[in-house]
Amino acid sequence: MPCTLRVRWTLIANRFPRPWRACPRCGTQRAFECSDKVRLNANGRRLDAWLVYKCVSCDDTWNHTLFERRNARDLDPDMLSGLEANDPVLVSRFAFDVAALRRVAHRVEEFAGSVARKEVLGDRPDRPKRLEIFLSLPSPVSIRLDRLLSMELGLSRARIATIVRHDHPKTNIKLNRLAIDGSRIGIDLSQECSETILLNAIRDRAGLRGERL
Ligand SMILES: [Zn+2]
């Protein structure tokens, strides 16, 4: 009988990151919210594209450059039609590009996400002694690993640290880091009254929705 319960948690971000910039109209640093709209400008064969942001305070717009003076022939036709149609998948890809936003913003405010789905992988053992959680993050979500595990499993961060460390005695797993796509976290349940943990590992909890870091 297998004695490890394997689950996959898929995390989704609740909202796009917000760049903070000096707003000319407000005269101070403000958060800018993605408007979900792309602006395209054609100059002969050359194309410019921006993702439009709005100041949360005064609605002044700021155009975040996606590319400039790109030859239309070099651009993938699907990409071009997606930009013209404000395709949500494409918008989301650019809006979650925190590295690109950091280059042009004073700072970038990121938001926590929530676990959208919990699935059991493979066989489900009767009395598991170990829990293995695989994290899937299709888009970047900013949440610390210990906070995520604590919220979702219903245990204190100190308790999480103990049972995770027990399972990874030789590796110094960093629970104070952000959760990343493809992570695998083993949890030792041999010393633990584990019924609730196991239940929480596979059932949805609404604890994280909409929260900031
Ligand atoms: Zn403003």
Side-chain angles (χ1 to χ4, degrees):
M1 279 298 282
C3 53
T4 298
L5 173 68
R6 291 188 175 84
V7 294
R8 177 166 52 227
W9 291 357
T10 303
L11 276 75
I12 52 156
N14 297 336
R15 51 192 292 190
F16 295 139
R18 299 198 307 189
W20 279 70
R21 295 177 49 91
C23 172
R25 200 188 286 175
C26 293
T28 185
Q29 294 283 337
R30 292 280 192 224
F32 281 73
E33 198 95 52
C34 177
S35 71
D36 302 331
K37 300 270 187 303
V38 173
R39 213 188 118 200
L40 277 169
N41 181 48
N43 194 340
R45 287 183 186 283
R46 301 281 172 179
L47 278 178
D48 302 318
W50 302 273
L51 186 56
V52 181
Y53 282 79
K54 286 190 171 179
C55 168
V56 294
S57 212
C58 72
D59 262 2
D60 204 22
T61 56
W62 165 62
N63 293 330
H64 172 39
T65 306
L66 305 179
F67 54 79
E68 280 178 312
R69 306 197 55 74
R70 181 83 58 88
N71 194 320
R73 279 179 306 188
D74 298 340
L75 214 60
D76 172 17
D78 287 345
M79 162 84 121
L80 187 55
S81 56
L83 290 170
E84 283 167 343
N86 299 307
D87 173 40
V89 176
L90 207 51
V91 165
S92 152
R93 207 175 83 202
F94 288 118
F96 276 120
D97 189 347
V98 176
L101 285 169
R102 284 218 178 95
R103 286 195 285 273
V104 289
H106 173 68
R107 71 182 174 93
V108 178
E109 190 180 4
E110 294 179 72
F111 298 91
S114 50
V115 175
R117 198 165 63 239
K118 292 176 176 174
E119 305 154 90
V120 175
L121 303 172
D123 293 332
R124 191 169 160 180
D126 282 342
R127 290 178 199 284
K129 293 274 176 270
R130 256 187 103 237
L131 171 65
E132 226 170 63
I133 301 168
F134 296 86
L135 295 183
S136 169
L137 282 70
S139 57
V141 171
S142 287
I143 184 156
R144 274 171 51 147
L145 213 45
D146 53 359
R147 179 166 163 73
L148 171 72
L149 293 168
S150 159
M151 296 287 285
E152 290 296 332
L153 296 177
L155 295 171
S156 71
R157 290 194 203 186
R159 194 82 203 104
I160 292 286
T162 310
I163 57 180
V164 169
R165 202 168 298 130
H166 225 260
D167 196 83
H168 300 261
K170 293 207 175 86
T171 53
N172 194 10
I173 188 161
K174 300 272 194 298
L175 286 169
N176 60 354
R177 297 278 171 84
L178 293 180
I180 55 167
D181 187 39
S183 295
R184 182 190 65 85
I185 306 122
I187 291 178
D188 176 37
L189 299 174
S190 57
Q191 330 259 314
E192 193 71 27
C193 172
S194 56
E195 278 305 309
T196 318
I197 302 177
L198 290 168
L199 207 59
N200 286 341
I202 56 175
R203 88 175 160 198
D204 290 333
R205 287 161 69 86
L208 290 171
R209 277 170 224 295
E211 278 200 38
R212 275 185 203 191
L213 276 179

